[in-house]
Amino acid sequence: MILKEELAAPLRVMQEFARRIAKVSKESKLTIDEDEYVSSFKVELMDAVIQWCRGVPFTDILKVNFFLLRLKVL
């Protein structure tokens, strides 16, 4: 998936935090696969979430994202 440039830095920060959480979990004797944990976050939703936080009407976000989803399926 291609993220907007403005979301690339926040994604890296989130992934760094996820890696730290996974490492602490391992140190605490919890079973966790670091790469699987990091990849479990749904980056596909980042653009929609940032739009919603900026006040874009939810119906507009749904229209755009539904259209993009349809393009991927076709």
Side-chain angles (χ1 to χ4, degrees), residues 2-51:
I2 299 172
L3 284 178
K4 291 182 179 178
E5 189 175 320
E6 69 179 318
L7 298 177
L11 174 60
R12 280 192 300 275
V13 170
M14 190 234 13
Q15 289 172 330
E16 289 171 16
F17 276 111
R19 289 200 186 284
R20 280 197 246 166
I21 290 168
K23 287 177 183 173
V24 169
S25 297
K26 281 183 180 179
E27 291 169 3
S28 300
K29 308 292 187 229
L30 296 174
T31 305
I32 188 168
D33 181 295
E34 183 177 324
D35 292 328
E36 186 178 312
Y37 180 69
V38 171
S39 67
S40 71
F41 292 89
K42 306 296 182 209
V43 297
E44 297 86 3
L45 299 175
M46 286 181 71
D47 187 48
V49 170
I50 196 77
Q51 289 178 43

Side-chain angles (χ1 to χ4, degrees), residues 59-71:
T59 54
D60 292 348
I61 295 169
L62 286 177
K63 288 176 192 173
V64 171
N65 286 292
F66 180 74
F67 176 73
L68 293 174
L69 178 63
R70 297 270 302 154
L71 288 177

